[in-house]
Amino acid sequence: MKGGQENERRGNSLLKGMMPADRERLMPLLRRETLAARRYLERRGQLQDRIYFIESGVVSNLETGDIPAPLEVGVVGREGIVGASAICKLLPQRDSCVQIEGEALSLERDEFRRLLEGSPVLLGYLLRYIQTQIVQFSLAASAAVRATVQQRLARKLLMYHDRIGSDDLPLTHENMSIILGVRRASITHAIHNLEAERWIRAQRGLVQIRDRAGLVRYCGPFYGVAEARYAEIMGHRA
């Protein structure tokens, strides 16, 4: 998935990439919803009522099982869905919370399950999406061990930039502390260093991407692999 300047492409990439017959069966069941920041779309171990095809904004996958504070382990934007556990008839294994407000098309879990049971092609397609999430989680774990805090922050800013298609990212120090699982002082230090390189500009509650190419170069191998594998696995560009 590639980011850039103001993104002219709109809508959910999974919906766009479906077989036309599956998309036609699905669309009448979808309801548009506004996703307010800090809204939880699913909770670990609890059966969620609805499945969300994200159209704009960013949703954080948060790990809460073995740590005192939530930690972002993955992100979902217009390339994906929230509620993928329903594909495998499982309960959610992590929380999903709206980090940047946006919109989604949602449908009831039971309706979603009936569609999957009636279309092996759709089931296989969405199982491929689950594989892209596994790739993202594994590469995030690798970056957490091998990358510096600054590189991890740059990586996350690029991932958010991809998903909202705007140079202005409405992120606070608190947001970024949760995203990386580090103290605010570490976030402040990393932001100052990225600003010194003129790659970003930070204001209260806002991070502006000034030089995306510079951030990509700085991240090196820690950004781009998951994005390339998404395109490879799903068979289309997000």
Side-chain angles (χ1 to χ4, degrees):
M1 188 172 53
K2 295 180 74 174
Q5 301 301 316
E6 293 298 325
N7 200 324
E8 295 182 355
R9 294 167 294 179
R10 291 292 182 263
N12 182 273
S13 296
L14 286 181
L15 289 175
K16 291 179 180 179
M18 285 180 187
M19 295 296 291
D22 287 323
R23 187 168 56 249
E24 288 172 9
R25 282 190 290 267
L26 181 60
M27 292 303 291
L29 304 175
L30 295 172
R31 181 182 77 191
R32 184 171 299 281
E33 293 192 34
T34 298
L35 304 179
R38 301 193 178 187
R39 173 183 169 186
Y40 280 85
L41 302 183
E42 61 182 354
R43 290 281 197 170
R44 183 175 65 88
Q46 299 180 16
L47 188 68
Q48 80 272 26
D49 295 329
R50 303 190 70 81
I51 310 301
Y52 300 87
F53 288 83
I54 307 302
E55 289 206 312
S56 61
V58 180
V59 178
S60 289
N61 298 135
L62 301 175
E63 181 55 62
T64 60
D66 62 345
I67 50 179
L71 171 66
E72 184 181 273
V73 294
V75 295
V76 181
R78 61 184 181 81
E79 84 292 347
I81 62 174
V82 174
S85 58
I87 299 168
C88 303
K89 300 183 181 180
L90 298 172
L91 295 176
Q93 297 303 303
R94 60 193 62 84
D95 291 353
S96 295
C97 182
V98 179
Q99 194 73 254
I100 295 180
E101 65 181 17
E103 290 189 334
L105 295 173
S106 74
L107 77 161
E108 292 183 0
R109 177 191 174 95
D110 290 344
E111 292 178 327
F112 183 61
R113 285 297 319 162
R114 282 193 291 270
L115 284 172
L116 294 179
E117 290 166 2
S119 175
V121 172
L122 179 59
L123 176 60
Y125 175 73
L126 293 176
L127 285 173
R128 282 156 53 197
Y129 171 69
I130 290 179
Q131 181 65 28
T132 70
Q133 286 194 307
I134 294 171
V135 169
Q136 186 189 140
F137 295 158
S138 65
L139 289 168
S142 174
V145 173
R146 299 168 53 223
T148 66
V149 170
Q150 284 177 206
Q151 284 175 311
R152 289 167 57 203
L153 178 58
R155 173 181 176 269
K156 286 290 187 176
L157 293 177
L158 287 167
M159 293 173 71
Y160 274 58
H161 191 221
D162 286 341
R163 285 162 175 81
I164 72 169
S166 170
D167 290 337
D168 295 330
L169 310 181
L171 293 171
T172 66
H173 280 57
E174 179 183 4
N175 292 139
M176 289 180 278
S177 179
I178 291 173
I179 287 169
L180 295 188
V182 299
R183 296 179 301 112
R184 292 194 192 187
S186 298
I187 294 295
T188 299
H189 180 72
I191 287 174
H192 286 167
N193 287 342
L194 295 179
E195 282 189 300
E197 298 291 341
R198 298 183 179 274
W199 294 329
I200 67 170
R201 177 185 292 118
Q203 305 172 36
R204 185 176 180 85
L206 182 71
V207 177
Q208 183 182 64
I209 304 298
R210 300 182 65 189
D211 182 358
R212 178 183 169 89
L215 284 176
V216 171
R217 288 193 299 271
Y218 177 65
C219 284
F222 301 115
Y223 171 78
V225 177
E227 292 70 23
R229 289 187 185 173
Y230 178 95
E232 177 185 345
I233 292 169
M234 298 311 299
H236 68 93
R237 292 187 180 275

